[in-house]
Amino acid sequence: MADPRGFLKVRQRETQPRRPVPVRIMDWKEVYEAQEKGTLKAQAGRCMDCGVPFCHQGCPLGNLIPEWNDLMWRDKGDEAIERLHATNNFPEFTGRLCPAPCEASCVLGINQPAVTIKQVEVSIIDEAWDNGWVNPLPPARLTGKTVAVVGSGPAGLAVAQQLTRVGHTVAVYERDDKIGGLLRYGIPDFKMEKEQVDRRIEQMKAEGTRFRTGVSVGTDVTWEQLRRRYDAVVVCTGATVPRDLPIPGRDLDGVHFAMDYLVPANRAVAGETIENQINAHGKHVVILGGGDTGADCLGTAHRHGAASVTTLAIGKQPPAERASHQPWPTFPTLFEVASAHEEGGERTYLASTVEFVGENGKLTGVKVAETEFVDGKRLPKAGTERIIPADLVFLSLGFTGAEPAGITEQVHAEFDGRGNVARDGYYMTNTEGVFVAGDAGRGQSLIVWAIAEGRAAAAAVDKYLMGSTILPAPVAPTDRAIAVL
């Protein structure tokens, strides 16, 4: 184990330092700075190497957390990255973007601040890249089987890398001009710079994965054509249908879905010229929704130089500590101060949006009321209405499921009642040879779940093609304990 008395000697939890707010809002570089090596080793040394490491069950990937904590503490980064890559294809993504359910399950968290697992993880992979320890792993032989993966987000990339490494010929289809999905165009650079995506793609190309960008499956090439051309097809298109808010004034100029703001902003940061880009400079911005996407809009608006930013959430403010109905080791809902919240803006809870108001077709404000609970429903409280001045509103209310166009008509795949592509216990749809993984089948979820499902779906595809598989299957697509092997 790591330092046997580490959790007794080092009781304070120290996370990565953030760059000063006045400095970081002037650029789009990542918010976090690298942690001093001695501090990092001391934090890794707090891991107790528990007899029953509940952090394993908190992580859908089943990361071998005590093992690489110990190796980091011993300054064996080359061995630590091997243990990390054994369960996680892309720790540079999860180490920056995952909310770390593993830390909520840390045994030390029962009576002390949890081990900084996420921080150790990202430090291991960053050190590995810096030292050239991340190398392509091409297959020893080819199987002659071909697979099409549609969508290049974390689930699609995980499927592709796993299947390429066991010898299948894999082509990834992406409708955007560059690979990465929401990793590329949905996540702002201040959370993850795109170098992280680019160098992983280069590794995958060296392993043999083929990438087809600018191809919209369903129009440029039909799903039926893919089925005829490949031995298996994996749908990894994500849950991209945004949840709308159909209230009076929804059609006013200035009310936008969050992704209509974030995607062009990310393209502009990448150096592209964007016509009619939504820019928050000098404007009063209101964000509906208090989740990660809302925080991304908030940080982007700060960097655009917004006059003011207000985030509205319809529910109650989460508690700062675990509620009694969310005991350890469950993943609790807690009040979080993300880097974007640290940079400014007002956060308002129990705020029901009643109407978007405007003049001459342009948005001028948002009418809100206090939220009251009636028979379990959240409703606006009469007599509490007020108007918040607004030039821009961003709807960050989550996503309702996968885009059905093409999948329904051409593949005849069924959808479940939640708007997701239906699949069986082996990730296969009702159409033979067509599989689904990630948010497209699971619904909007965490990046760590997308990678875990991608790895498990790859095992299911490999078994379908070859009759057996050596690939690990960390999770099943249902609540039942279904073994893929």
Side-chain angles (χ1 to χ4, degrees):
M1 64 181 294
D3 186 350
R5 299 181 61 82
F7 68 98
L8 296 174
K9 293 187 297 185
V10 183
R11 290 180 173 271
Q12 185 176 356
R13 171 185 165 97
E14 292 188 42
T15 56
Q16 285 175 284
R18 295 171 177 172
R19 295 193 292 140
V21 170
V23 175
R24 72 190 193 220
I25 63 172
M26 301 300 291
D27 61 41
W28 297 88
K29 300 296 184 181
E30 287 187 15
V31 165
Y32 288 96
E33 297 176 334
Q35 192 167 47
E36 193 272 328
K37 186 76 174 191
T39 302
L40 182 67
K41 290 178 63 176
Q43 291 298 306
R46 296 179 69 232
C47 178
M48 299 187 294
D49 192 19
C50 306
V52 180
F54 278 84
C55 54
H56 284 197
Q57 70 86 30
C59 176
L61 285 163
N63 281 334
L64 306 173
I65 295 164
E67 295 186 28
W68 41 258
N69 274 332
D70 173 54
L71 292 166
M72 172 58 75
W73 180 72
R74 297 178 186 278
D75 204 17
K76 295 183 178 181
D78 54 339
E79 296 182 34
I81 188 58
E82 289 185 8
R83 303 310 295 146
L84 184 50
H85 270 150
T87 57
N88 187 352
N89 297 68
F90 314 120
E92 65 271 34
F93 302 161
T94 54
R96 287 172 167 83
L97 304 176
C98 180
C102 54
E103 294 185 7
S105 299
C106 174
V107 175
L108 188 59
I110 295 175
N111 60 3
Q112 284 191 38
V115 175
T116 56
I117 297 170
K118 177 179 173 180
Q119 174 183 310
V120 175
E121 175 183 13
V122 75
S123 299
I124 291 171
I125 182 60
D126 285 350
E127 182 183 20
W129 282 116
D130 291 343
N131 287 281
W133 297 333
V134 183
N135 298 304
L137 299 174
R141 62 178 181 82
L142 294 178
T143 64
K145 300 293 185 178
T146 58
V147 181
V149 177
V150 183
S152 65
L157 294 179
V159 170
Q161 186 166 65
Q162 292 292 93
L163 290 176
T164 296
R165 287 177 172 178
V166 292
H168 304 308
T169 300
V170 182
V172 178
Y173 287 81
E174 171 56 57
R175 62 184 176 185
D176 285 328
D177 58 330
K178 292 183 180 179
I179 294 296
L182 288 183
L183 294 170
R184 171 79 61 181
Y185 291 127
I187 303 296
D189 280 43
F190 58 81
K191 289 179 68 174
M192 186 180 74
E193 294 179 44
K194 300 310 174 275
E195 174 195 17
Q196 307 297 336
V197 180
D198 292 336
R199 58 189 179 185
R200 188 60 78 171
I201 297 306
E202 290 305 310
Q203 181 206 31
M204 293 180 64
K205 287 180 178 178
E207 292 173 345
T209 302
R210 304 173 183 185
F211 295 97
R212 307 281 187 262
T213 56
V215 180
S216 181
V217 177
T219 53
D220 298 331
V221 59
T222 67
W223 290 92
E224 189 56 40
Q225 286 174 320
L226 288 187
R227 289 188 62 206
R228 290 198 300 266
R229 188 180 305 174
Y230 295 90
D231 297 308
V233 175
V234 189
V235 180
C236 298
T237 53
T240 56
V241 179
R243 180 173 285 105
D244 206 346
L245 185 62
I247 60 175
R250 173 62 181 87
D251 58 345
L252 288 171
D253 182 18
V255 182
H256 306 277
F257 288 118
M259 286 302 160
D260 292 338
Y261 176 54
L262 292 176
V263 172
N266 282 324
R267 288 183 175 276
V269 171
E272 298 182 32
T273 300
I274 308 298
E275 295 184 5
N276 302 317
Q277 180 187 351
I278 304 168
N279 196 305
H281 180 74
K283 297 182 179 180
H284 298 286
V285 177
V286 173
I287 300 168
L288 304 186
D292 287 341
T293 304
D296 293 344
C297 290
L298 176 62
T300 301
H302 289 321
R303 285 157 180 77
H304 280 169
S308 70
V309 188
T310 303
T311 301
L312 303 179
I314 193 172
K316 298 177 181 178
Q317 178 176 322
E321 298 182 354
R322 283 183 183 273
S324 58
H325 66 281
Q326 294 178 327
W328 178 89
T330 61
F331 187 43
T333 301
L334 299 176
F335 181 73
E336 180 185 6
V337 179
S339 64
H341 300 131
E342 211 177 46
E343 295 163 359
E346 180 181 344
R347 302 172 77 177
T348 302
Y349 290 87
L350 289 176
S352 293
T353 305
V354 177
E355 180 183 356
F356 301 119
V357 297
E359 296 177 0
N360 302 318
K362 298 197 70 172
L363 178 76
T364 60
V366 180
K367 180 183 288 188
V368 299
E370 294 180 12
T371 303
E372 65 177 351
F373 295 82
V374 180
D375 296 329
K377 296 181 180 180
R378 298 179 295 192
L379 300 173
K381 185 177 181 181
T384 64
E385 295 86 357
R386 63 187 177 97
I387 294 179
I388 301 174
D391 304 301
L392 288 172
V393 166
F394 299 128
L395 304 180
S396 304
L397 305 173
F399 301 86
T400 60
E403 298 177 26
I407 298 177
T408 302
E409 301 90 345
Q410 298 173 15
V411 183
H412 307 296
E414 297 176 354
F415 279 66
D416 63 23
R418 298 186 299 131
N420 306 319
V421 183
R423 68 261 182 98
D424 64 15
Y426 299 90
Y427 292 88
M428 190 185 293
T429 69
N430 58 292
T431 301
E432 177 78 14
V434 178
F435 298 78
V436 61
D439 288 3
R442 180 181 179 82
Q444 180 187 2
S445 190
L446 306 179
I447 184 172
V448 69
W449 273 108
I451 297 173
E453 286 216 358
R455 288 171 63 88
V461 173
D462 188 36
K463 183 181 180 185
Y464 169 76
L465 296 175
M466 307 300 293
S468 63
T469 182
I470 60 172
L471 291 174
V475 295
T478 69
D479 292 333
R480 291 172 290 132
I482 299 174
V484 172
L485 304 183

Coordinates of all heavy atoms in Angstrom, one line a residue, residues 16 18-19 24 27-33 91-99 118 122 126 182-197 259 262 266 269 290-300 303 336-341 343 444-447:
Q16 N -5.8 20.5 -6.9 CA -5.0 21.2 -7.8 C -5.3 22.7 -7.7 O -6.4 23.1 -7.6 CB -5.2 20.8 -9.3 CG -4.6 19.5 -9.7 CD -5.0 19.1 -11.1 OE1 -6.1 18.7 -11.3 NE2 -4.1 19.3 -12.0
R18 N -6.0 26.5 -8.9 CA -6.5 27.1 -10.1 C -5.8 28.5 -10.3 O -5.4 29.2 -9.4 CB -8.0 27.4 -9.9 CG -8.9 26.1 -9.7 CD -10.3 26.5 -9.3 NE -11.1 25.3 -9.2 CZ -12.4 25.2 -8.7 NH1 -12.9 26.4 -8.3 NH2 -13.1 24.1 -8.7
R19 N -5.7 28.8 -11.6 CA -5.0 30.1 -11.9 C -5.9 31.2 -11.4 O -7.1 31.1 -11.3 CB -4.9 30.2 -13.4 CG -3.9 29.2 -14.0 CD -3.5 29.6 -15.4 NE -4.7 29.4 -16.3 CZ -5.0 30.2 -17.3 NH1 -4.2 31.3 -17.5 NH2 -6.0 30.0 -18.1
R24 N -7.1 34.1 -15.7 CA -7.7 33.0 -16.5 C -8.8 33.4 -17.4 O -9.1 32.8 -18.5 CB -8.0 31.8 -15.7 CG -9.2 32.0 -14.8 CD -9.3 30.8 -13.8 NE -10.6 30.6 -13.2 CZ -10.7 30.3 -11.9 NH1 -9.7 30.1 -11.2 NH2 -11.9 30.2 -11.4
D27 N -8.1 34.4 -21.1 CA -7.7 33.5 -22.2 C -8.6 32.2 -22.1 O -9.6 32.2 -21.3 CB -6.2 33.1 -22.1 CG -5.9 32.4 -20.7 OD1 -6.7 31.6 -20.2 OD2 -4.8 32.8 -20.1
W28 N -8.3 31.2 -22.9 CA -9.1 30.0 -22.9 C -8.3 28.8 -22.5 O -8.7 27.6 -22.7 CB -9.6 29.8 -24.3 CG -10.6 30.8 -24.8 CD1 -10.2 32.0 -25.4 CD2 -12.0 30.9 -24.6 NE1 -11.4 32.8 -25.6 CE2 -12.5 32.1 -25.1 CE3 -12.9 30.0 -24.0 CZ2 -13.8 32.4 -25.1 CZ3 -14.3 30.3 -24.0 CH2 -14.7 31.6 -24.6
K29 N -7.1 29.0 -21.9 CA -6.3 27.9 -21.4 C -7.0 27.2 -20.2 O -7.8 27.8 -19.5 CB -4.9 28.4 -21.0 CG -4.2 29.1 -22.1 CD -3.8 28.1 -23.2 CE -3.0 28.8 -24.3 NZ -2.7 27.9 -25.4
E30 N -6.5 26.0 -19.9 CA -7.1 25.3 -18.8 C -6.9 26.0 -17.5 O -5.9 26.7 -17.2 CB -6.5 23.9 -18.7 CG -6.9 22.9 -19.8 CD -6.4 21.5 -19.6 OE1 -6.0 21.2 -18.4 OE2 -6.5 20.7 -20.5
V31 N -7.9 25.9 -16.7 CA -8.0 26.6 -15.4 C -7.0 26.1 -14.4 O -6.4 26.9 -13.6 CB -9.4 26.5 -14.8 CG1 -9.5 26.9 -13.4 CG2 -10.4 27.3 -15.6
Y32 N -6.8 24.8 -14.4 CA -5.9 24.2 -13.4 C -4.4 24.2 -13.7 O -4.1 24.1 -14.9 CB -6.4 22.7 -13.1 CG -7.7 22.6 -12.4 CD1 -8.9 22.4 -13.1 CD2 -7.8 22.7 -11.0 CE1 -10.1 22.3 -12.5 CE2 -9.0 22.6 -10.4 CZ -10.1 22.4 -11.1 OH -11.3 22.3 -10.5
E33 N -3.7 24.4 -12.7 CA -2.2 24.3 -12.8 C -1.7 22.9 -12.3 O -2.5 22.3 -11.5 CB -1.5 25.4 -12.0 CG -1.9 26.8 -12.4 CD -1.3 27.8 -11.5 OE1 -1.0 27.5 -10.3 OE2 -1.0 29.0 -12.0
P91 N -7.7 8.4 -19.6 CA -7.7 9.0 -18.3 C -7.5 10.5 -18.3 O -7.8 11.2 -17.4 CB -6.5 8.3 -17.5 CG -5.7 7.7 -18.6 CD -6.6 7.4 -19.7
E92 N -6.9 11.0 -19.5 CA -6.8 12.5 -19.6 C -8.1 13.2 -19.8 O -8.3 14.4 -19.4 CB -5.9 12.8 -20.8 CG -6.4 12.5 -22.1 CD -6.0 11.0 -22.6 OE1 -5.9 10.1 -21.7 OE2 -5.8 10.8 -23.8
F93 N -9.1 12.4 -20.2 CA -10.5 13.0 -20.3 C -11.2 12.9 -19.0 O -11.7 13.9 -18.5 CB -11.3 12.2 -21.4 CG -10.7 12.2 -22.8 CD1 -11.1 11.2 -23.7 CD2 -9.8 13.1 -23.2 CE1 -10.6 11.2 -25.0 CE2 -9.2 13.1 -24.5 CZ -9.7 12.1 -25.4
T94 N -11.2 11.7 -18.4 CA -11.9 11.5 -17.1 C -11.3 12.3 -16.0 O -12.0 12.8 -15.1 CB -12.0 10.0 -16.8 OG1 -10.7 9.5 -16.7 CG2 -12.9 9.3 -17.7
G95 N -10.0 12.4 -16.0 CA -9.2 13.1 -15.0 C -9.6 14.6 -15.0 O -9.3 15.3 -14.0
R96 N -10.1 15.1 -16.1 CA -10.4 16.5 -16.2 C -11.9 16.8 -16.2 O -12.4 17.8 -15.7 CB -9.9 17.1 -17.5 CG -8.4 17.3 -17.6 CD -7.9 17.7 -18.9 NE -6.5 18.2 -18.8 CZ -5.4 17.4 -18.8 NH1 -5.6 16.1 -18.9 NH2 -4.2 17.9 -18.7
L97 N -12.7 15.8 -16.6 CA -14.2 16.1 -16.9 C -15.1 15.3 -16.0 O -16.3 15.6 -15.8 CB -14.5 15.8 -18.3 CG -13.7 16.6 -19.4 CD1 -14.1 16.1 -20.8 CD2 -13.9 18.1 -19.2
C98 N -14.6 14.2 -15.4 CA -15.5 13.3 -14.6 C -15.8 13.9 -13.2 O -14.8 14.5 -12.6 CB -14.9 11.9 -14.4 SG -15.9 10.8 -13.5
P99 N -17.0 13.9 -12.7 CA -17.2 14.4 -11.4 C -16.7 13.5 -10.2 O -17.0 13.8 -9.1 CB -18.8 14.5 -11.3 CG -19.2 13.5 -12.3 CD -18.2 13.4 -13.4
K118 N -9.2 11.8 -8.4 CA -9.2 12.4 -9.8 C -7.9 13.2 -10.1 O -7.4 13.1 -11.2 CB -10.4 13.3 -9.9 CG -10.6 14.0 -11.2 CD -11.9 14.9 -11.1 CE -12.0 15.8 -12.4 NZ -13.2 16.6 -12.3
V122 N -5.2 12.3 -13.2 CA -4.8 13.2 -14.3 C -3.3 13.5 -14.2 O -2.7 13.7 -15.3 CB -5.6 14.5 -14.3 CG1 -5.2 15.5 -13.2 CG2 -5.6 15.2 -15.6
D126 N -0.8 12.8 -17.4 CA 0.0 14.0 -17.9 C 1.5 13.7 -17.8 O 2.2 14.0 -18.8 CB -0.3 15.2 -17.1 CG -1.7 15.8 -17.4 OD1 -2.3 15.4 -18.4 OD2 -2.1 16.7 -16.7
L182 N -18.6 15.8 -28.5 CA -18.7 16.8 -27.6 C -17.4 17.1 -26.8 O -17.2 18.2 -26.3 CB -19.8 16.5 -26.5 CG -21.2 16.6 -27.0 CD1 -22.2 16.3 -25.9 CD2 -21.5 18.0 -27.7
L183 N -16.4 16.2 -26.8 CA -15.1 16.4 -26.3 C -14.4 17.6 -27.1 O -13.7 18.4 -26.5 CB -14.2 15.2 -26.4 CG -14.6 14.0 -25.5 CD1 -13.8 12.8 -25.9 CD2 -14.4 14.3 -24.1
R184 N -14.7 17.6 -28.4 CA -14.1 18.6 -29.3 C -14.9 19.9 -29.2 O -14.3 21.0 -29.0 CB -14.1 18.1 -30.7 CG -13.7 19.1 -31.8 CD -12.2 19.3 -31.8 NE -11.5 18.0 -32.2 CZ -10.2 17.9 -32.2 NH1 -9.4 19.0 -32.0 NH2 -9.6 16.8 -32.5
Y185 N -16.2 19.9 -29.4 CA -16.9 21.1 -29.6 C -17.9 21.4 -28.5 O -18.5 22.5 -28.5 CB -17.7 21.0 -31.0 CG -16.7 21.1 -32.2 CD1 -16.8 20.1 -33.2 CD2 -15.8 22.1 -32.3 CE1 -15.9 20.1 -34.3 CE2 -15.0 22.1 -33.4 CZ -15.0 21.1 -34.4 OH -14.2 21.2 -35.5
G186 N -18.1 20.5 -27.6 CA -19.0 20.8 -26.5 C -18.4 21.3 -25.2 O -18.9 22.0 -24.4
I187 N -17.1 20.8 -25.0 CA -16.4 21.1 -23.8 C -15.5 22.3 -24.0 O -14.6 22.2 -24.9 CB -15.5 19.9 -23.3 CG1 -16.4 18.7 -23.1 CG2 -14.7 20.2 -22.1 CD1 -17.4 18.8 -22.0
P188 N -15.6 23.4 -23.3 CA -14.7 24.6 -23.5 C -13.3 24.2 -23.2 O -13.0 23.3 -22.4 CB -15.3 25.6 -22.6 CG -16.7 25.2 -22.2 CD -16.6 23.7 -22.3
D189 N -12.4 24.9 -23.9 CA -10.9 24.7 -23.7 C -10.5 25.0 -22.3 O -9.5 24.4 -21.8 CB -10.1 25.5 -24.7 CG -10.1 24.9 -26.0 OD1 -11.1 24.5 -26.5 OD2 -9.0 24.9 -26.6
F190 N -11.2 25.9 -21.5 CA -10.7 26.1 -20.2 C -11.0 24.9 -19.3 O -10.4 24.9 -18.1 CB -11.4 27.4 -19.6 CG -12.9 27.4 -19.5 CD1 -13.6 26.8 -18.5 CD2 -13.6 28.1 -20.5 CE1 -15.0 26.8 -18.5 CE2 -15.0 28.1 -20.4 CZ -15.7 27.5 -19.4
K191 N -11.8 24.0 -19.7 CA -11.9 22.7 -18.9 C -11.0 21.6 -19.5 O -10.5 20.8 -18.8 CB -13.3 22.2 -19.0 CG -14.3 23.1 -18.1 CD -15.7 22.6 -18.2 CE -16.0 21.3 -17.6 NZ -17.4 20.9 -17.6
M192 N -10.8 21.6 -20.8 CA -9.9 20.6 -21.4 C -9.5 21.2 -22.8 O -10.3 21.3 -23.7 CB -10.6 19.3 -21.6 CG -9.6 18.2 -22.1 SD -10.3 16.6 -22.3 CE -11.3 16.8 -23.8
E193 N -8.2 21.5 -22.9 CA -7.6 21.9 -24.2 C -7.6 20.7 -25.2 O -7.4 19.6 -24.8 CB -6.2 22.5 -24.0 CG -6.2 23.8 -23.1 CD -4.9 24.3 -22.9 OE1 -4.1 24.4 -23.9 OE2 -4.5 24.7 -21.8
K194 N -7.8 21.1 -26.4 CA -8.0 20.0 -27.4 C -6.8 19.3 -27.8 O -6.8 18.3 -28.6 CB -8.7 20.7 -28.7 CG -10.0 21.3 -28.3 CD -10.9 20.4 -27.6 CE -12.2 21.0 -27.1 NZ -12.1 21.7 -25.8
E195 N -5.6 19.7 -27.3 CA -4.4 18.9 -27.5 C -4.6 17.5 -26.9 O -4.1 16.5 -27.4 CB -3.2 19.6 -26.8 CG -2.0 18.7 -26.8 CD -0.9 19.3 -25.8 OE1 -1.3 20.0 -24.9 OE2 0.2 18.9 -25.9
Q196 N -5.4 17.4 -25.8 CA -5.7 16.1 -25.2 C -6.4 15.2 -26.1 O -6.1 14.0 -26.1 CB -6.5 16.3 -23.9 CG -6.0 17.3 -22.9 CD -4.6 16.9 -22.4 OE1 -4.3 15.7 -22.3 NE2 -3.9 17.9 -21.9
V197 N -7.3 15.7 -26.9 CA -8.0 14.9 -27.9 C -7.1 14.5 -29.1 O -7.0 13.4 -29.5 CB -9.3 15.6 -28.4 CG1 -10.0 14.7 -29.4 CG2 -10.2 15.9 -27.3
M259 N -26.0 24.5 -26.6 CA -25.0 24.0 -27.6 C -24.9 25.0 -28.8 O -23.9 25.0 -29.5 CB -25.3 22.6 -28.1 CG -25.0 21.5 -27.0 SD -23.2 21.6 -26.6 CE -23.2 20.8 -25.0
L262 N -22.2 27.2 -27.3 CA -20.9 26.6 -26.9 C -20.1 26.1 -28.2 O -18.9 26.3 -28.3 CB -21.1 25.4 -26.0 CG -21.6 25.8 -24.6 CD1 -21.8 24.5 -23.7 CD2 -20.6 26.7 -23.9
N266 N -16.4 27.3 -29.2 CA -15.2 26.4 -29.3 C -14.6 26.4 -30.7 O -13.3 26.3 -30.8 CB -15.7 24.9 -29.0 CG -15.9 24.7 -27.5 OD1 -15.1 25.3 -26.7 ND2 -16.9 23.9 -27.1
V269 N -12.4 29.5 -30.8 CA -11.2 29.3 -30.0 C -10.2 28.5 -30.9 O -9.0 28.8 -30.8 CB -11.5 28.7 -28.7 CG1 -10.2 28.3 -28.0 CG2 -12.3 29.6 -27.8
G290 N -28.6 24.4 -13.8 CA -27.5 24.6 -12.9 C -26.4 23.5 -13.0 O -25.6 23.3 -12.2
G291 N -26.5 22.7 -14.1 CA -25.5 21.6 -14.3 C -24.2 22.0 -15.0 O -23.9 23.2 -15.1
D292 N -23.5 21.0 -15.5 CA -22.2 21.2 -16.1 C -22.3 22.0 -17.3 O -21.5 22.9 -17.6 CB -21.5 19.9 -16.4 CG -21.0 19.1 -15.2 OD1 -20.9 19.8 -14.1 OD2 -20.8 17.9 -15.3
T293 N -23.3 21.8 -18.1 CA -23.5 22.6 -19.4 C -23.7 24.0 -19.1 O -23.2 24.9 -19.7 CB -24.6 22.0 -20.3 OG1 -24.4 20.6 -20.5 CG2 -24.7 22.7 -21.6
G294 N -24.5 24.3 -18.0 CA -24.8 25.7 -17.6 C -23.5 26.3 -17.1 O -23.2 27.5 -17.4
A295 N -22.6 25.6 -16.4 CA -21.4 26.1 -16.0 C -20.4 26.4 -17.1 O -19.7 27.4 -17.1 CB -20.7 25.1 -15.0
D296 N -20.5 25.6 -18.2 CA -19.7 25.8 -19.4 C -20.1 27.1 -20.1 O -19.3 27.9 -20.5 CB -19.9 24.7 -20.4 CG -19.2 23.4 -19.8 OD1 -18.4 23.4 -18.9 OD2 -19.5 22.3 -20.4
C297 N -21.5 27.3 -20.1 CA -22.0 28.6 -20.7 C -21.5 29.8 -19.8 O -21.2 30.8 -20.3 CB -23.5 28.6 -20.7 SG -24.2 27.5 -22.0
L298 N -21.5 29.6 -18.5 CA -21.1 30.6 -17.6 C -19.7 31.0 -17.8 O -19.3 32.2 -17.9 CB -21.3 30.2 -16.1 CG -20.9 31.1 -15.0 CD1 -21.7 32.4 -15.1 CD2 -21.1 30.4 -13.7
G299 N -18.8 30.1 -17.8 CA -17.4 30.4 -18.1 C -17.1 31.0 -19.4 O -16.2 31.9 -19.5
T300 N -17.8 30.5 -20.4 CA -17.7 31.1 -21.8 C -18.2 32.6 -21.8 O -17.5 33.4 -22.4 CB -18.5 30.3 -22.8 OG1 -18.0 28.9 -22.8 CG2 -18.3 30.8 -24.2
R303 N -15.6 34.9 -20.4 CA -14.5 35.1 -21.3 C -14.9 36.0 -22.4 O -14.0 36.6 -23.1 CB -13.9 33.8 -21.7 CG -13.0 33.2 -20.6 CD -12.9 31.7 -20.8 NE -12.1 31.1 -19.6 CZ -12.5 31.0 -18.4 NH1 -13.8 31.3 -18.1 NH2 -11.7 30.5 -17.5
E336 N -22.0 22.6 -5.5 CA -20.6 22.6 -6.1 C -20.3 24.0 -6.6 O -21.1 24.7 -7.2 CB -20.5 21.6 -7.3 CG -19.2 21.6 -8.0 CD -19.2 20.7 -9.2 OE1 -20.2 20.2 -9.6 OE2 -18.1 20.5 -9.8
V337 N -19.1 24.4 -6.3 CA -18.5 25.7 -6.8 C -17.5 25.3 -7.9 O -16.3 25.0 -7.6 CB -17.9 26.5 -5.7 CG1 -17.4 27.8 -6.3 CG2 -19.0 26.8 -4.6
A338 N -18.0 25.2 -9.1 CA -17.1 25.0 -10.2 C -16.2 26.2 -10.5 O -16.4 27.3 -10.0 CB -17.8 24.6 -11.5
S339 N -15.2 26.0 -11.3 CA -14.3 27.1 -11.6 C -15.0 28.3 -12.2 O -14.7 29.5 -12.0 CB -13.2 26.7 -12.6 OG -13.7 26.3 -13.8
A340 N -16.1 28.0 -13.0 CA -16.8 29.1 -13.7 C -17.6 29.9 -12.6 O -17.8 31.1 -12.7 CB -17.8 28.5 -14.7
H341 N -18.1 29.2 -11.6 CA -18.9 29.9 -10.6 C -17.9 30.8 -9.8 O -18.3 31.9 -9.3 CB -19.5 28.9 -9.6 CG -20.5 28.0 -10.3 ND1 -20.5 26.7 -10.1 CD2 -21.5 28.3 -11.2 CE1 -21.5 26.1 -10.9 NE2 -22.1 27.1 -11.5
E343 N -15.6 32.5 -10.9 CA -15.3 33.7 -11.7 C -16.3 34.8 -11.7 O -16.1 35.9 -12.2 CB -15.1 33.2 -13.2 CG -13.9 32.3 -13.3 CD -13.8 31.5 -14.6 OE1 -14.8 31.6 -15.4 OE2 -12.9 30.7 -14.8
Q444 N -28.5 10.7 -21.3 CA -27.4 11.7 -20.8 C -26.8 11.2 -19.6 O -27.5 10.9 -18.6 CB -28.0 13.0 -20.7 CG -27.0 14.1 -20.2 CD -27.7 15.4 -19.9 OE1 -28.9 15.5 -19.9 NE2 -26.9 16.4 -19.5
S445 N -25.5 11.1 -19.5 CA -24.8 10.5 -18.4 C -23.4 11.1 -18.3 O -23.0 12.0 -19.0 CB -24.8 9.0 -18.5 OG -24.3 8.4 -17.3
L446 N -22.5 10.4 -17.5 CA -21.2 10.9 -17.2 C -20.2 10.3 -18.3 O -20.4 9.3 -18.8 CB -20.7 10.4 -15.8 CG -21.6 10.8 -14.7 CD1 -21.0 10.3 -13.4 CD2 -21.8 12.3 -14.6
I447 N -19.1 11.0 -18.5 CA -18.1 10.6 -19.4 C -17.5 9.2 -19.0 O -17.2 8.4 -19.9 CB -17.0 11.6 -19.5 CG1 -16.0 11.2 -20.6 CG2 -16.3 11.9 -18.2 CD1 -14.9 12.3 -20.9

